[in-house]
Amino acid sequence: MLTASPRPSPVTPTIDLSAQGVQHGHLRLPYSRDDSAWGSVMIPICVIANGDGPTALLTGANHGDEYEGPAALFELARTLDPAEVSGRVIIVPALNYPAFRAGTRTSPIDKGNMNRSFPGRPDGNVTEKIADYVTRHLVPLADIVLDFHSGGKTLDFLPYAAAHELPDKAQEVRCFAAVAAFSAPYSMKMLEIDAVGMLDTTVEEMGKVFVTTELGGAGTASARSIGIARRGAGNLLKHAGILAGTPETAPTRWLDMPSADCFSFAQDDGLIAFERDLGESVRAGEVIARIYPIGKTGLAPAEYRAAMDGVLAARHVPGLIKAGDCLSVLAVLTEAP
Ligand SMILES: [Zn+2]
């Protein structure tokens, strides 16, 4: 998958990624446009380094409308004392910065979905150029990568950290150990609808430890979900040996997504009325939600039934839904992997 192009990245960091101490700067990507002929996209980046040790890469707003990552990472970048660090922490709080500025999942410049654009292209659109820089210049520096996600404006999740089943079982064990250290209320063995183009896949194929999250959603972040993100990032840095001390663990419930039966997609447009809330159990055949036609009264709703036993791990938001939208995700409670 990784076809490293010899073409150099057009992205220039305004800081020296190998320097010691704290540096706040930007990844500057030239972007010529109507309101700025020789303008640039300026993606905030912070590097906090002290001596020898591993490197962690922490990223948020890979999707621009997901806020736990930016909330935790802008705070961490502001407060992390290099004297506490052994090694290096690279923080990019808002990876798809144009999307983050616009409050949208994808970039307003090119409609690029960052987490479907990896490994990226140095000669692609703005989103692909950012992805390419991350792939070829940031991930290779890292021993461990944490990429924060939540549901954005159209999904809401149980708060979980996650890793994937991997062909390299030793690497998989390292990834799930990091998920356990993150210590979210839930920990997921995650199945992707389509793993092509994801940062996850790119990092995993490079043999690194990778942790992702889904910490809530609905286009906002709560005090609780931001707290989970902050504690998780600190725990991961302790787990990696970059911060001293042991992770501040809390009970976590392990979840698995055993097959594509987890996912339910709407086949109707209308008003969605859920019969279960996040975290509640449902048995196979029971109604998860009904979609009501909204053009007139007296019409029966379409019923969406669970294809398996499980707990509701994600649901569509807001209250209206369209055919094709992801309606729900079920997961099964399990033992630690
Ligand atoms: Zn996301």
Side-chain angles (χ1 to χ4, degrees), residues 62-63 65-66 105 115 148-152 214:
N62 180 328
H63 292 129
D65 60 351
E66 303 174 2
R105 180 173 180 83
N115 219 27
F148 280 107
H149 288 261
S150 59
E214 298 289 0

Side-chain angles (χ1 to χ4, degrees), residues 108-122:
I109 296 172
D110 50 32
K111 293 293 170 194
N113 182 333
M114 180 66 75
N115 219 27
R116 304 294 181 273
S117 299
F118 280 88
R121 296 164 54 100

Side-chain angles (χ1 to χ4, degrees), residues 88-110:
R88 176 169 54 178
V89 184
I90 302 172
I91 301 173
V92 186
L95 195 56
N96 196 341
Y97 191 64
F100 177 66
R101 288 287 299 259
T104 51
R105 180 173 180 83
T106 62
S107 174
I109 296 172
D110 50 32

Side-chain angles (χ1 to χ4, degrees), residues 303-319:
E303 292 187 333
Y304 285 77
R305 294 176 184 275
M308 54 180 260
D309 294 353
V311 297
L312 190 62
R315 51 156 285 181
H316 173 84
V317 292

Side-chain angles (χ1 to χ4, degrees), residues 135 156 197 207 210 279 327:
T135 298
D156 195 12
F210 182 82
L327 183 147

